[in-house]
Each structure stands twice: as structure tokens, then as C-alpha cells.
Amino acid sequence: MKTETRNNVVHTIPLGTARLRLLVLGLVRVAVPPLAAVAAAWAVEPQLNADGSARLAYLVLVAVLALSAVDNTLTNATERTYRRAYGRVHGPRSWSCEDCGRQITAREWTPFDAAAFETHLADPRAHGCTHS
């Protein structure tokens, strides 16, 4: 399988801005879910009537539920921006089958996309390769 990076594409966002976006998205994705978990536990704590370990268990449960919900929502909301910035920083790429020449080109991609494309092209039956 061949992999190549092309840099002759006109980009809508400058490279410096793309790097800044990746940094900010990384910080937001790391910092916001734990802060939401702490805030949720803090907000629920006065309403609890339980004492001791039951109180702690309820607080942990609320914190974990808030962490999970915010993390999932935040990831879904920022995925397109992340792909655009990652693709801009690392350049558009093409993946192709060495046998039949079938090609996948992506301007917006992540390492997970790259792995999926490589897996798809490595399996001759998946992409209809006749030269296997």
C-alpha cells in the first residue's frame, strides 16, 4: 500500500491557526469534562440526605455520569473542527492499493481515519481488488 502527502492544496485556514486550534481543542477536551464532573458533584451535594459512604457513592456516581455525558457531547461537537485542523497541520493524504491502484484521498483526516483507510485497502475483497 502506498501513502503520500500532498501539499499543493489551497487551505481555508492558515497553518498557525490550525496548530492553535489543535492546541485549544486538546486543552478543552482534557479540561472541561473533569470540571463538569466536579461542578455536577458540587451542585448535587447539598441535596443529598445520605451520610458517610453512601453520600460519597452518590457524589462519585453523579461525577462519573457528568464526565461521560460532557466528554461524549464535547467530542461530537468538536470532531469536524479537529479533523479540519489535523488535516491542515499534517497535510492532505492519499492512500492507494499497490495492486489495483484504487485510491482514497482525504483533506480532513485523523490517525483513526488513516488506520481505517489502510485496513480497507489492505483487504482485497473490501475494495474489490482483482489483482490479489
Side-chain angles (χ1 to χ4, degrees), residues 39-107:
W42 177 75
V44 168
E45 197 267 334
Q47 284 81 27
L48 291 177
N49 291 327
D51 289 326
S53 61
R55 183 181 202 92
L56 180 63
Y58 285 128
L59 289 175
V60 169
L61 177 65
V62 166
V64 167
L65 289 174
L67 179 99
S68 176
V70 169
D71 184 50
N72 189 32
T73 303
L74 190 62
T75 300
N76 290 343
T78 60
E79 185 64 26
R80 179 150 173 83
T81 303
Y82 178 76
R83 285 175 188 270
R84 292 183 76 190
Y86 192 92
R88 172 61 179 109
V89 170
H90 297 284
R93 284 187 63 187
S94 296
W95 297 264
S96 60
C97 177
E98 293 177 354
D99 296 327
C100 68
R102 180 142 327 188
Q103 187 172 3
I104 299 173
T105 302
R107 236 179 112 182

Side-chain angles (χ1 to χ4, degrees), residues 120 122-129 132:
H120 179 72
D123 182 7
R125 288 180 286 162
H127 69 273
C129 183
S132 56

